[in-house]
Amino acid sequence: ERYCSSQDPDEQQKELGSHVRSIRSHIDILSSKGYQDLVGDLDFVTMFLPVEPAFILAMQTDPEIWNYAYSRGVLLLSPTNLIAALRLIHNLWQREYQNRHALEIADRGGKLYDKFVSLVESLTSVGDSLNKSQLSFDTAMKQLHTGSGNLVSQAQKIKELGAKAKKSMPESLLDAMDDELDELPEAEKP
């Protein structure tokens, strides 16, 4: 404002130098604040110059001022590029959140996979136990009603010899025993 109000070229140059020094000083102050340390994911701090002509004049007077700010982690913004910069920052934060979710999904996916492997191992163990139980059951059933000297045939012979019993052997078991005896060679029949 002082630069524009002055009619004296020397006074204008003095005010222009003061304007650029003020911007550089503010860049240094922002850079020294350490805002990056507060959040951890910040690479830059933005410095908004609300008067577009003042921004353009500073850039024309000191073409290195933008690089000076950038090298100190400060982005200079004017009204012209503010909205674009804010949209870019918004998109970057969205991607950061998505990346965090992707890492969490990967972590949960690993835990889910480990649980799934444990379930498969448990089911395999249950299957092995069921197979062993089935083998034990088959062995016990053979002792009960198949093969030479099985318990059903021995008990039935005792009943036929005159043992007093109130109950009878189930017909299905006797039929199964007879069917299996028919399949045995003569030498193995009781």
Side-chain angles (χ1 to χ4, degrees):
E1 191 275 321
R2 288 189 306 265
Y3 168 80
C4 290
S5 298
S6 175
Q7 299 300 321
D8 180 18
D10 291 335
E11 184 69 26
Q12 284 182 330
Q13 286 302 319
K14 179 182 155 210
E15 294 301 335
L16 192 54
S18 175
H19 174 57
V20 170
R21 280 190 305 279
S22 175
I23 292 173
R24 281 184 175 257
S25 173
H26 198 68
I27 290 168
D28 291 337
I29 290 169
L30 283 175
S31 178
S32 69
K33 294 273 185 185
Y35 291 119
Q36 300 88 319
D37 299 334
L38 297 176
V39 178
D41 290 338
L42 296 179
D43 294 326
F44 294 95
V45 173
T46 58
M47 179 177 154
F48 179 61
L49 295 153
V51 180
E52 188 77 30
F55 176 81
I56 292 170
L57 190 59
M59 294 296 147
Q60 289 173 345
T61 304
D62 186 358
E64 287 300 310
I65 197 165
W66 198 92
N67 289 333
Y68 178 81
Y70 187 85
S71 68
R72 283 159 179 71
V74 177
L75 291 177
L76 296 179
L77 298 178
S78 70
T80 302
N81 59 17
L82 176 65
I83 299 300
L86 291 176
R87 293 282 299 174
L88 176 65
I89 292 167
H90 175 75
N91 289 338
L92 290 173
W93 278 107
Q94 278 186 322
R95 287 192 184 156
E96 175 66 22
Y97 289 135
Q98 289 171 349
N99 287 342
R100 286 183 185 167
H101 290 311
L103 292 174
E104 186 175 338
I105 288 169
D107 183 51
R108 288 185 184 273
K111 289 176 182 176
L112 177 65
Y113 183 83
D114 290 344
K115 277 289 187 200
F116 183 72
V117 169
S118 294
L119 176 63
V120 168
E121 289 169 349
S122 295
L123 288 174
T124 301
S125 176
V126 166
D128 291 344
S129 295
L130 287 174
N131 287 337
K132 287 177 186 175
S133 296
Q134 184 65 47
L135 288 173
S136 296
F137 175 77
D138 291 344
T139 300
M141 289 305 287
K142 283 180 184 177
Q143 293 171 349
L144 180 66
H145 69 82
T146 61
S148 169
N150 66 66
L151 292 173
V152 172
S153 67
Q154 295 296 326
Q156 197 61 26
K157 283 184 184 178
I158 290 174
K159 184 177 180 191
E160 289 171 5
L161 290 173
K164 292 185 180 181
K166 294 180 183 177
K167 294 184 178 185
S168 295
M169 196 67 67
E171 286 299 320
S172 61
L173 194 57
L174 293 173
D175 290 342
M177 182 185 73
D178 288 341
D179 290 344
E180 290 185 24
L181 285 175
D182 289 341
E183 293 175 12
L184 287 176
E186 279 301 317
E188 292 183 24
K189 290 184 180 179

